[in-house]
Amino acid sequence: MEREDTYRPLDGKVAVVTGAGRGIGRAIAIAYARAGAAVVCSARTAAQVDDTVSTIVAGGGRASGFVADVVDAAAVDALFAHAVDAHGGVDIVVANAGVGGVGRRVEKSDPAAWARTFQVNVVGAYHTMRSAIAPLRARGGGKIIVTGSGSRKGVGPGMSDYAGSKAAVWHLAQVLAVELLEDRISVNELIPGPVKTEMTATTRFPPGEWVKEPEDVVPMAMFLATQPLEGPTAQSFSLMRRA
């Protein structure tokens, strides 16, 4: 048996991770590279993308960066074209880019800001998953992992845009999983639960809630990336709370 520090379950794979400049996306991108994948790190901010790529390369991994806003369909198409040109194809896609919402009751919400949440979280995920299909199919199958949220099931005041957008993404993922079943492309949701990121810096979590570091999400992301092509699809995987 190989030693744990040399175990590279993603050798030969190419992963595209959106929202890879910070937080959960950055942690997943670095972990996938350590596991042997060539990783395309994408986000809107060039400095953050460069930092993630530099960290991977400094650790002996393979990575390239691509600056793209997932709201821009052409930019997302170009992202996947880059992955194919630079690394030969795509095997794993983590649709992680997202925003936290406006945090206001519907009555007092700003329509443009409210719509922006849906643009990034839903339309951005749609662009990412849609553009991923052709390169994944060309490899004979692959994985799409979308970052979801438990708020789609349990909501509160001020969560209309965020909770609604995450509910929409979950249904989109289920529909796409059915459409891609014969292509051996799985589509699953990863619900991290509360994670310490810039997006949650001002959030007050209930006492006893397991508030994770981004690295705590990595094992579940690795599990989903390493499942067989005939593995689970149209499923939601949630990290449990602990008191």
Side-chain angles (χ1 to χ4, degrees), residues 23-24 34 39 45 122 145 147 165 199-200 205 218 227 233 236:
I24 295 170
R34 287 175 178 164
V39 183
T45 305
V122 183
I145 303 163
T147 302
S165 69
M199 195 168 73
T200 63
F205 299 109
V218 165
Q227 290 302 292
T233 193
S236 179

Side-chain angles (χ1 to χ4, degrees), residues 22-48:
R22 61 187 181 182
I24 295 170
R26 174 185 166 87
I28 291 173
I30 292 171
Y32 281 0
R34 287 175 178 164
V39 183
V40 179
C41 307
S42 182
R44 290 182 299 168
T45 305
Q48 292 179 348

Side-chain angles (χ1 to χ4, degrees), residues 54-240:
S54 296
T55 299
I56 290 172
V57 172
R62 295 176 298 150
S64 62
F66 195 91
V67 176
D69 186 339
V70 293
V71 171
D72 184 341
V76 178
D77 282 342
L79 163 64
F80 283 92
H82 163 79
V84 173
D85 291 343
H87 303 287
V90 178
D91 302 284
I92 304 159
V93 176
V94 182
N96 171 72
V99 294
V102 299
R104 290 180 175 267
R105 292 173 180 265
V106 172
E107 181 182 12
K108 296 183 179 301
S109 62
D110 175 70
W114 198 96
R116 174 67 180 172
T117 303
F118 267 75
Q119 279 290 312
V120 177
N121 291 355
V122 183
V123 177
Y126 160 76
H127 288 159
T128 302
M129 291 190 276
R130 179 181 178 276
S131 297
I133 294 171
L136 289 171
R137 183 181 286 139
R139 300 279 264 200
K143 317 287 194 312
I144 297 176
I145 303 163
V146 61
T147 302
S149 172
S151 67
R152 68 171 173 78
K153 297 181 286 186
V155 302
M159 296 177 64
S160 63
D161 59 337
Y162 183 71
S165 69
K166 289 300 184 179
V169 169
W170 166 230
H171 285 279
L172 171 62
Q174 291 178 92
V175 170
L176 190 59
V178 173
E179 294 179 350
L180 299 179
L181 190 61
E182 294 183 359
D183 294 298
R184 301 203 301 173
I185 299 172
S186 65
V187 187
N188 290 299
E189 178 190 49
L190 194 170
I191 297 180
V195 179
K196 296 177 185 175
T197 65
E198 290 184 26
M199 195 168 73
T200 63
T202 61
T203 302
R204 294 183 179 180
F205 299 109
E209 184 78 55
W210 178 22
V211 182
K212 307 161 197 70
E213 299 293 339
E215 290 73 20
D216 291 325
V217 183
V218 165
M220 183 64 77
M222 192 65 67
F223 167 80
L224 292 172
T226 55
Q227 290 302 292
L229 291 178
E230 291 77 17
T233 193
Q235 302 300 310
S236 179
F237 295 82
S238 178
L239 294 177
M240 299 292 290

